[in-house]
Amino acid sequence: FHAESSTTKSSAKSSIQPSVSFAADVAFDESAPPIIPMPSFNDKKKDDIMEQISELVMSGSSFDTTNFLYIHEQPLTPLLRSSIKTPLLEEKGSVILTDYALYFQPAILSGSAMSSNTIRTNGIDGSGGKAHVWCMEDVVALARRYDGLKDRGVEIYVSKVGGGKSSHHSVLLALDSTEARERLVHLITKQCSASRSLPIPCYTDRNFVESAVELWLSN
C-alpha cells in the first residue's frame, strides 16, 4: 500500500508542469532598446559604453517647439547633436537654430520636460540640466575651434547690454562633423548680418586675421 501511494504521488507531481507565458508583444518586442551593461571603474571600455548610452538617449529626443521664445519662430536647422565644452566639463545635448535664436537642449531633458527648464542666457552660467537660448541679436562674433583633434567646434561670442547691466560671454559648441559646424556658422552669420550694417566677424577667418594685422600695423 505504501509503495503504491508513493508511486501515485510521484506520478502526480511529475504531471504538474509550470505554466508561465508572456504576451508576444512583450516577450519579443524588437523595438525595445538593447541592454547595455553599466561600466565599472576597472572597465577599459567605459567611454565606449557611455557613448552608446548617450546615443540611445539622443536617438529618441525631440525639441518641443512650445519652448520657443516667440510663437512665430521658424526652425532653420534640424536638431543637431552637439555638446557644450568647458575646461572641466562636457554637457551633451543638441542644438537647433531658428530665425531668432540658437537653442541648446541637454540630453537628459525630454521634449516634455523642457517647458519649466528653458532659460534665456548669454553663456553657460546656471547650467545643470537646463536648456539654453542665445538670441541672434546678442551674438557679436564667431570662431572655428577644434574639438580635440577634430575640426568641428565653434565658439559663439555673445554680448548683452540692458537694464544698467552688461554681460559678455562665449560658449564653445562641438558638433558631430565639420559639415554640420560649417552649416551652423553660415546660418548664424546670415541671420545676424541681415539686420546689421556689417557682418559679424569670424575670428579664425583668414580675411579677418589679415585685416586685423593690417589695422595693427597701421597704428
Side-chain angles (χ1 to χ4, degrees):
F1 174 78
H2 292 290
E4 182 180 354
S5 176
S6 61
T7 303
T8 304
K9 289 181 179 179
S10 177
S11 60
K13 188 180 296 184
S14 62
S15 64
I16 300 175
Q17 299 294 332
S19 58
V20 179
S21 61
F22 297 93
D25 58 342
V26 175
F28 307 101
D29 185 4
E30 297 181 354
S31 64
I35 298 175
I36 300 176
M38 292 302 295
S40 65
F41 289 106
N42 297 324
D43 193 348
K44 295 182 179 180
K45 297 182 179 180
K46 178 175 64 175
D47 293 338
D48 294 338
I49 294 175
M50 294 305 296
E51 184 66 24
Q52 292 180 47
I53 295 174
S54 176
E55 289 180 0
L56 283 174
V57 173
M58 289 304 302
S59 63
S61 65
S62 60
F63 186 83
D64 186 359
T65 56
T66 61
N67 290 283
F68 286 158
L69 295 180
Y70 296 96
I71 194 172
H72 56 75
E73 288 186 59
Q74 296 295 323
L76 301 178
T77 68
L79 204 60
L80 303 172
R81 189 165 58 180
S82 62
S83 58
I84 293 180
K85 297 279 188 172
T86 65
L88 298 178
L89 299 173
E90 177 182 9
E91 186 176 15
K92 292 182 179 294
S94 53
V95 294
I96 186 171
L97 178 67
T98 72
D99 52 355
Y100 182 78
L102 178 68
Y103 297 84
F104 176 84
Q105 173 180 309
I108 61 174
L109 292 180
S110 64
S112 60
M114 287 187 60
S115 58
S116 61
N117 288 321
T118 304
I119 59 173
R120 176 169 176 168
T121 178
N122 290 315
I124 58 172
D125 298 339
S127 59
K130 291 186 176 181
H132 305 275
V133 54
W134 299 278
C135 298
M136 292 295 98
E137 62 184 17
D138 299 330
V139 176
V140 295
L142 301 171
R144 293 176 176 85
R145 301 296 187 200
Y146 275 84
D147 176 24
L149 298 177
K150 299 178 179 179
D151 185 18
R152 60 183 187 182
V154 56
E155 188 168 5
I156 302 172
Y157 297 84
V158 291
S159 177
K160 185 173 179 61
V161 180
K165 297 180 180 180
S166 61
S167 175
H168 309 281
H169 298 282
S170 70
V171 57
L172 179 59
L173 294 175
L175 285 92
D176 263 356
S177 64
T178 303
E179 291 75 14
R181 189 272 310 276
E182 288 302 304
R183 181 61 177 167
L184 188 63
V185 167
H186 171 74
L187 290 173
I188 291 177
T189 302
K190 182 178 179 181
Q191 286 301 118
C192 292
S193 303
S195 58
R196 308 180 192 186
S197 57
L198 294 174
I200 63 170
C202 182
Y203 292 149
T204 51
D205 278 355
R206 182 182 179 88
N207 58 354
F208 176 82
V209 175
E210 290 177 346
S211 61
V213 172
E214 184 179 348
L215 182 62
W216 177 70
L217 291 175
S218 63
N219 293 328

